[in-house]
Amino acid sequence: MIRKIIKYGDPVLEQYCDPVEEFDEPELHQLVADMFETMNDARGVGLAAPQVGLLKRLTVIDCSAGEDPEQKLVLINPEILETEGEQIGEEGCLSIPGFQGDVTRAQRVVVRARDAQGGSFEVEGDGLLARAILHENDHLNGVLFLRHLTPLKRELIKRKIRKLRKKGEWD
Ligand code: NI
């Protein structure tokens, strides 16, 4: 089931999310399936639970945008173990559609997480995958990519969003 993606301005996107404690439950499997479906429908490469209104430490990532099932990644209660290097690149967010900005992220990251069955694993990401992991992990701490932009760029985007909201084109 495709869920509604919450847009910037809703306070749920700027709150700290709680760890998932119950694994391998039908509800959790359904949420993961729905999040992949919602993300693919929106042509994104990552989606975090708060973006569908749930304050849980859960994200789904697929850098192939639905093309390669092997790239599907579920990160529950992720912990960033290592970061290395630096990359600067354009970033966007499904909760802030239509806006992008340059964000500096680590080039490489190692993350430990649990899967929907509760199994613990580590995964290493480089390039786009590192960017996606760090962007999604930020969501779980209530941090949006806007916070990584220059103040000037951030204000420009916020101003445009305020205008869209006034016109009823942002909900
Ligand atoms: Ni995002």
Side-chain angles (χ1 to χ4, degrees), residues 75-86:
L75 299 177
I76 303 179
N77 302 344
E79 289 170 76
I80 304 295
L81 300 180
E82 273 179 61
T83 58
E84 192 191 319
E86 202 176 272

Side-chain angles (χ1 to χ4, degrees), residues 51 92-94 135-136 139:
Q51 294 180 278
C93 178
L94 292 177
H135 175 113
E136 297 313 321
H139 271 295

Side-chain angles (χ1 to χ4, degrees), residues 99-120:
F99 296 96
Q100 285 85 30
D102 282 339
V103 176
T104 303
R105 299 278 187 189
Q107 174 62 33
R108 188 185 144 268
V109 62
V110 180
V111 62
R112 181 195 291 143
R114 288 180 185 274
D115 59 29
Q117 283 79 25
S120 179

Side-chain angles (χ1 to χ4, degrees), residues 28-44:
L28 182 64
H29 290 300
Q30 188 62 52
L31 174 60
V32 167
D34 287 355
M35 283 176 64
F36 274 114
E37 198 181 341
T38 304
M39 175 176 75
N40 288 337
D41 178 67
R43 298 174 184 279

